[in-house]
Amino acid sequence: MYEKGDKKISLLIISIAFMILVVFLSFVLYKLFLLFADVQNLVNNTSKRVDNLLQEVNQTVNEVNSLLGDATEKIKKVDPLFVAVGEVSETISDINTSIRKLFFKKKSIRSKRESTSISTLIAIELAKKFFSKKKNK
């Protein structure tokens, strides 16, 4: 059916096809090797950059923690000042209210010619309120 020459030709064609397949696969494998080498370089570079970045982030977090602690201490030191300012504000408000009451009470009692004595009375009442507040504390 087949002659010896036909077998040799078909064997030659198969071997040539196999060689082409081997050359093509070796080319693909070589390109794949280059791709994996580039990926490995990229991963190594990224890893180094991430390590540097993490160190900087760690330093930043430590600095922020330090600043936050410092700010907390300063707020604790300034807090009594705000309390004192609040107390002074209350005292001034009380004095203002007392002066208004006294002024309107004395104004209704006194006549216009005695207006200078009203300011003296206001000053005396102011002093009384101020010193009574200090004694209470």
Side-chain angles (χ1 to χ4, degrees):
M1 193 163 161
Y2 291 110
E3 291 183 26
K4 238 183 179 178
D6 289 340
K7 286 184 182 181
K8 285 183 181 180
I9 290 176
S10 41
L11 193 59
L12 181 65
I13 292 173
I14 291 173
S15 62
I16 290 173
F18 185 72
M19 281 180 53
I20 291 172
L21 180 65
V22 167
V23 168
F24 178 73
L25 283 178
S26 64
F27 180 73
V28 169
L29 287 175
Y30 178 72
K31 289 290 187 176
L32 196 60
F33 171 76
L34 292 177
L35 176 68
F36 282 132
D38 285 343
V39 168
Q40 185 176 5
N41 286 336
L42 181 65
V43 167
N44 289 339
N45 289 338
T46 304
S47 176
K48 289 176 186 174
R49 288 181 181 170
V50 167
D51 288 342
N52 291 338
L53 183 63
L54 286 176
Q55 287 175 356
E56 290 179 19
V57 167
N58 192 18
Q59 288 175 347
T60 303
V61 167
N62 288 337
E63 289 176 13
V64 166
N65 285 338
S66 173
L67 290 174
L68 187 60
D70 186 44
T72 303
E73 289 177 22
K74 288 180 180 177
I75 287 173
K76 286 179 183 177
K77 289 179 182 177
V78 172
D79 194 35
L81 175 68
F82 288 117
V83 171
V85 167
E87 290 174 356
V88 168
S89 171
E90 288 177 21
T91 303
I92 290 173
S93 178
D94 291 344
I95 290 171
N96 191 18
T97 304
S98 297
I99 289 173
R100 282 187 182 155
K101 287 180 183 177
L102 179 66
F103 179 74
F104 288 118
K105 183 167 53 168
K106 299 295 180 183
K107 187 176 180 184
S108 64
I109 296 173
R110 306 272 183 198
S111 65
K112 289 185 180 180
R113 58 188 158 99
E114 297 176 344
S115 62
T116 56
S117 65
I118 291 175
S119 62
T120 306
L121 290 172
I122 289 174
I124 291 171
E125 284 293 323
L126 178 64
K128 284 181 185 177
K129 287 284 184 181
F130 181 74
F131 288 116
S132 70
K133 279 274 189 184
K134 279 200 160 194
K135 286 180 183 177
N136 289 340
K137 291 183 180 182

